[in-house]
Amino acid sequence: MPIPTSQAPMVRTTARERVFKELRQWIINGTLLPQERLNDVELARHFGVSRTPVREALQMLSEQKLVTMVPSSGTFVASIDLEDMAYVYKLLEEMQAYALELSFARIGQGELEQLRQINGRLREHERNNDVPAMIGEDWAFHHCFTEWAANPYLTNYTEQLMSQAHRSELQFFQNCARRDQSYEGHAQIIQALEKKDLAQAKEKLRQNWRISLQE
């Protein structure tokens, strides 16, 4: 099981939360791969804690469907479930479309230029085959709409769902034959916003979220 060598000192009173956050990040960013076995003894040794906070963290991850606990067999990184992802992406489609609707009146030339710059960096990272950076710019593009919507509940729930979708996005950007689809989809959203066409912008935004799941 590949465990990163660097680790910040762990605060004893927040051991469970720290282990949970670190493991969750490893699963989301692909450090720990689907179906990989998680050894609580090894993890406890790495984090410098007892097995109890590790087991509690694994239980929390299980509740988020990021790990699978199999009786008498062990704990494993959960496979990417297409049915679950269909639910996640459908929610993201609608929540992002709503965020765009809320933020539409606030999107001026400055905001459009911000979107263009993010999409330009996405294109550059695509050409350099830098998958983590591509995902970062893709997320930054979509985060703009939730930020501009100025609804903290919408932002919070969207970020939770985007974390769930991250592993699927990682597979998409690593394996898709046409990774430029994301860049092109963003460009179409920007074009619709330049024309002040909210309906078209919302539809292009929904289509952009469907790309990864379809692939």
Side-chain angles (χ1 to χ4, degrees), residues 42-107:
E42 187 178 348
L43 290 169
R45 185 183 305 117
H46 170 75
F47 287 113
V49 300
S50 70
R51 294 167 67 184
T52 299
V54 172
R55 288 173 173 174
E56 291 173 345
L58 292 173
Q59 181 61 46
M60 293 167 66
L61 291 166
S62 176
E63 292 169 1
Q64 292 195 359
K65 295 189 175 182
L66 290 174
V67 306
T68 302
M69 293 179 162
V70 182
S72 303
S73 295
T75 301
F76 304 85
V77 177
S79 299
I80 298 174
D81 188 296
L82 288 180
E83 185 175 351
D84 279 350
M85 285 299 100
Y87 295 142
V88 168
Y89 277 93
K90 182 59 179 175
L91 285 171
L92 280 170
E93 278 185 41
E94 298 307 320
M95 292 173 71
Q96 281 268 283
Y98 181 53
L100 178 54
E101 185 175 325
L102 291 177
S103 62
F104 185 68
R106 301 186 180 95
I107 300 177

Side-chain angles (χ1 to χ4, degrees), residues 85-212:
M85 285 299 100
Y87 295 142
V88 168
Y89 277 93
K90 182 59 179 175
L91 285 171
L92 280 170
E93 278 185 41
E94 298 307 320
M95 292 173 71
Q96 281 268 283
Y98 181 53
L100 178 54
E101 185 175 325
L102 291 177
S103 62
F104 185 68
R106 301 186 180 95
I107 300 177
Q109 288 305 312
E111 287 74 19
L112 287 171
E113 181 58 27
Q114 182 178 345
L115 293 174
R116 292 189 198 100
Q117 289 180 6
I118 293 171
N119 208 32
R121 292 194 296 269
L122 173 62
R123 184 67 148 183
E124 182 179 349
H125 294 316
E126 175 203 323
R127 289 168 175 162
N128 294 332
N129 199 33
D130 189 340
V131 171
M134 290 171 66
I135 295 175
E137 298 299 346
D138 187 46
W139 265 194
F141 184 91
H142 289 282
H143 180 71
C144 285
F145 302 118
T146 52
E147 181 182 357
W148 297 335
N151 183 321
Y153 295 99
L154 182 61
T155 300
N156 183 45
Y157 295 139
T158 300
E159 288 179 351
Q160 289 184 43
L161 288 170
M162 288 176 75
S163 293
Q164 289 287 343
H166 193 284
R167 292 199 298 159
S168 177
E169 293 292 298
L170 183 63
Q171 294 290 321
F172 168 75
F173 281 109
Q174 285 179 334
N175 302 313
C176 181
R178 283 203 56 216
R179 291 182 298 189
D180 59 345
Q181 291 178 89
S182 186
Y183 167 83
E184 292 176 356
H186 293 175
Q188 291 172 2
I189 295 167
I190 294 170
Q191 186 177 36
L193 291 172
E194 288 172 338
K195 295 177 180 178
K196 303 294 184 182
D197 189 337
L198 175 59
Q200 180 73 354
K202 288 170 66 176
E203 179 56 29
K204 292 300 180 182
L205 185 61
R206 287 190 174 99
Q207 290 176 7
N208 188 246
W209 277 110
R210 292 170 195 161
I211 293 172
S212 299

